[in-house]
Amino acid sequence: MVVAAAGRYGLVVVLAWVVFPAAIVLCGEMGLTFQLERAFPTSHGVPLGELRARDRSRHGRFLQQSSLGGVVDFPVEGTYDPFVVGLYFTRVLLGSPPKEFYVQIDTGSDVLWVSCASCNGCPTSSGLQIQLEFFDPSGSPTASPISCSDQKCALGIQSSDSECSNGNQCSYTFQYGDGSGTSGYYVSDLMHFDTIAGNSVTSNSSAKVAFGCSTSQTGDLTKSDRAVDGIFGFGQQGMSVIAQLASQGAIPNAFSHCLKGGNGGGGILVLGQVIHPNIVYTPLVQSQPHYNLNLQSIAVNGQSVPIDSQVFTTSSTRGTIVDSGTTLAYLAEEAYDPFVDAINQIVLQSVRAFVSRGSQCYLVTSTSSVSDIFPKVSLNFAGGASMVLNPQDYLLQQNSINGAAVWCIGFQKIQGQGLTILGDLVLKDKIVVYDLAGQRIGWANYDCSSPVNVSATPSTGKSEYVNAGQIDNNSSSRDDLHSQILVTILVFFLYALVYGEFSVL
């Protein structure tokens, strides 16, 4: 072993050989960081039916598309309440000079779009206590329109994310099931971001991306109570920012999130692959417009629920979709009743069951906790990966009656449809990894207020590990490094005492 006698740089060499057996060089692939927030409108007590209605609105687009063939915790205002319609969003910096936009995180769509100057129907204020902004292409010297001859536009047309009906301008129209929607045109401009390499953060990175410039919004998108500047689609189609940056070599072809479900909300979002020993993976179903997984069975308290496995088969109108833009969770119609029956068989001796506005609810008068009364649920996927749900992952506390708590099953039934949708209800309090290079999704239960380790080179057999949590808000990673340095110094002097001499580089 070679030990440096003196000098800060010599000590770094010791760290590389003593603390880190293999020094890995990051070549062109770095994790990008975004600040992730959870927002809540000022109103409380939103009925479960309204949550379902809003989710159904976005699911209308699922059917339309199916038929067509480093990382920072961010403090948010308010308190967590599942009956207040919250949404997860992050900040992106676009244009020159960089301008900040708040955008909802949505794994159920592909395109990043923001409200543009002279937008018709775009809200000008938000009940989320954020300052809304408008992107002005003429005010950014690095902005340029995307033409119909651009390859990006052609990729968007293939996935129905682009159209060319207005001269040579590449445009888009997204329509939702309740009649709300947005339309506009595509521009190319700089996206600015923080990159993480090793234990350092670089804040001056940028890359050109194509994104939507919204000139018209209708329906719920015009309302101020939940208004943000746009939507950040994290899909894998050609117009996705993930696909664009990965093709440029700016990021690894993977992203991860950890949505905090406890008081305060927030969480972690990283363009890169979170590493944790408990993560289990299942393959993505190929040739699908969304993140479809092969759900094979459901178990309640370890017992398989009697559901025909064909119920979960992926087709143009069926399948299991992972979607961070959906608030609740949904089961295919044929699976819902057997699932509820299996839970009832276990809990009816301890609680009183009743139906409220189409949802199965329970009056809990026992002094025991919900976790003691209700069973764990296991969603079993292809490849042997199981998503284990604790009671709080499928139940919602609605209110109380005469001092007794009312809990309702958060899984909803989609009437007449075979879709199963895993929304924020089950995605929260979990690391969720979208390894697009490996065409798989993984997850593990996790405290999303804690830092995470990130690999910037997924599916390649080598990894650059980054302590990526709360980089801007605390110095935990630096403290760890300082501790390692102190330990190394101690080893160094013990070595010197034993052998009576120093070996100099």
Side-chain angles (χ1 to χ4, degrees):
M1 183 175 92
V2 179
V3 180
R8 181 177 60 180
Y9 299 103
L11 186 58
V12 171
V13 173
V14 173
L15 279 173
W17 293 0
V18 176
V19 180
F20 303 110
I24 302 171
V25 180
L26 188 62
C27 299
E29 294 182 310
M30 297 182 178
L32 309 189
T33 67
F34 293 91
Q35 294 178 323
L36 181 61
E37 306 183 11
R38 184 169 183 123
F40 305 93
T42 55
S43 59
H44 288 266
V46 177
L48 197 60
E50 185 174 339
L51 289 174
R52 288 197 300 264
R54 292 184 179 181
D55 283 341
R56 280 197 300 268
S57 297
R58 65 173 286 103
H59 299 162
R61 188 172 178 223
F62 285 165
L63 297 180
Q64 291 171 19
Q65 288 190 332
S66 296
S67 62
L68 296 172
V71 188
V72 179
D73 283 326
F74 191 83
V76 297
E77 298 179 4
T79 60
Y80 173 76
D81 184 343
F83 286 93
V84 174
V85 184
L87 58 90
Y88 289 97
F89 65 95
T90 189
R91 304 176 187 182
V92 295
L93 290 171
L94 301 172
S96 301
K99 197 170 184 179
E100 188 175 70
F101 297 89
Y102 292 90
V103 286
Q104 181 181 0
I105 296 165
D106 183 17
T107 61
S109 63
D110 301 314
V111 174
L112 165 64
W113 62 264
V114 296
S115 299
C116 273
S118 304
C119 178
N120 181 24
C122 292
T124 57
S125 62
S126 174
L128 305 179
Q129 283 74 53
I130 60 175
Q131 180 66 45
L132 298 183
E133 299 287 350
F134 294 87
F135 182 78
D136 184 3
S138 65
S140 176
T142 51
S144 59
I146 299 293
S147 68
C148 289
S149 59
D150 193 295
Q151 185 179 7
K152 292 187 182 69
C153 189
L155 289 173
I157 291 175
Q158 293 175 13
S159 58
S160 303
D161 289 327
S162 305
E163 56 188 29
C164 271
S165 57
N166 184 20
N168 193 37
Q169 188 177 72
C170 186
S171 58
Y172 65 88
T173 298
F174 300 141
Q175 193 69 30
Y176 294 86
D178 64 347
S180 67
T182 178
S183 61
Y185 59 94
Y186 288 104
V187 297
S188 175
D189 207 342
L190 290 175
M191 172 181 280
H192 306 263
F193 40 73
D194 294 344
T195 58
I196 308 172
N199 286 290
S200 64
V201 181
T202 303
S203 300
N204 59 353
S205 300
S206 64
K208 276 261 189 175
V209 296
F211 57 93
C213 191
S214 176
T215 58
S216 176
Q217 294 174 24
T218 60
D220 281 348
L221 289 176
T222 66
K223 297 180 179 179
S224 296
D225 61 340
R226 306 171 69 243
V228 288
D229 293 316
I231 292 178
F232 197 160
F234 277 81
Q236 54 185 330
Q237 303 299 327
M239 289 300 288
S240 167
V241 169
I242 300 297
Q244 293 183 59
L245 292 178
S247 67
Q248 297 176 41
I251 64 169
N253 196 13
F255 68 96
S256 312
H257 60 65
C258 194
L259 308 178
K260 185 180 176 184
N263 291 339
I268 295 170
L269 169 67
V270 59
L271 306 190
Q273 184 173 342
V274 172
I275 303 299
H276 191 276
N278 295 335
I279 293 179
V280 295
Y281 286 92
T282 187
L284 282 166
V285 179
Q286 300 298 298
S287 304
Q288 296 298 315
H290 302 291
Y291 291 116
N292 283 73
L293 303 180
N294 184 5
L295 177 61
Q296 297 179 328
S297 66
I298 299 176
V300 173
N301 209 25
Q303 298 297 313
S304 182
V305 179
I307 303 171
D308 187 344
S309 60
Q310 295 300 311
V311 169
F312 302 121
T313 301
T314 300
S315 69
S316 60
T317 58
R318 287 186 172 273
T320 300
I321 297 170
V322 178
D323 177 33
S324 68
T326 290
T327 303
L328 303 175
Y330 294 79
L331 279 177
E333 185 174 15
E334 303 94 325
Y336 181 82
D337 288 338
F339 172 71
V340 172
D341 290 343
I343 292 177
N344 286 343
Q345 290 177 15
I346 295 173
V347 304
L348 288 187
Q349 290 183 346
S350 304
V351 299
R352 195 184 84 189
F354 64 97
V355 176
S356 175
R357 298 180 181 179
S359 296
Q360 179 65 64
C361 298
Y362 306 91
L363 193 63
V364 182
T365 58
S366 172
T367 57
S368 300
S369 67
V370 170
S371 298
D372 295 329
I373 298 173
F374 287 85
K376 289 187 176 183
V377 170
S378 176
L379 308 180
N380 304 313
F381 295 87
S386 293
M387 180 179 288
V388 178
L389 306 180
N390 296 314
Q392 290 85 353
D393 296 328
Y394 65 86
L395 293 173
L396 296 174
Q397 187 171 8
Q398 185 168 4
N399 50 30
S400 60
I401 300 176
N402 295 327
V406 175
W407 290 81
C408 298
I409 291 181
F411 275 92
Q412 306 295 300
K413 180 194 300 185
I414 302 184
Q415 298 286 353
Q417 298 180 18
L419 283 176
T420 294
I421 303 171
L422 307 181
D424 292 339
L425 176 68
V426 300
L427 297 179
K428 64 178 174 61
D429 300 318
K430 293 177 181 64
I431 294 170
V432 182
V433 179
Y434 302 74
D435 177 9
L436 304 184
Q439 284 294 286
R440 59 181 186 165
I441 289 182
W443 56 81
N445 291 337
Y446 197 73
D447 177 2
C448 296
S449 63
S450 301
V452 295
N453 286 328
V454 177
S455 169
T457 53
S459 304
T460 61
K462 61 179 182 178
S463 296
E464 174 82 6
Y465 292 99
V466 179
N467 187 350
Q470 304 177 3
I471 289 173
D472 289 343
N473 297 328
N474 67 42
S475 57
S476 60
S477 60
R478 293 189 293 271
D479 291 343
D480 290 343
L481 182 59
H482 293 164
S483 298
Q484 293 168 352
I485 291 174
L486 291 175
V487 170
T488 303
I489 292 174
L490 179 59
V491 172
F492 169 73
F493 282 109
L494 288 175
Y495 180 88
L497 288 173
V498 171
Y499 292 96
E501 61 180 9
F502 297 110
S503 299
V504 183
L505 288 178

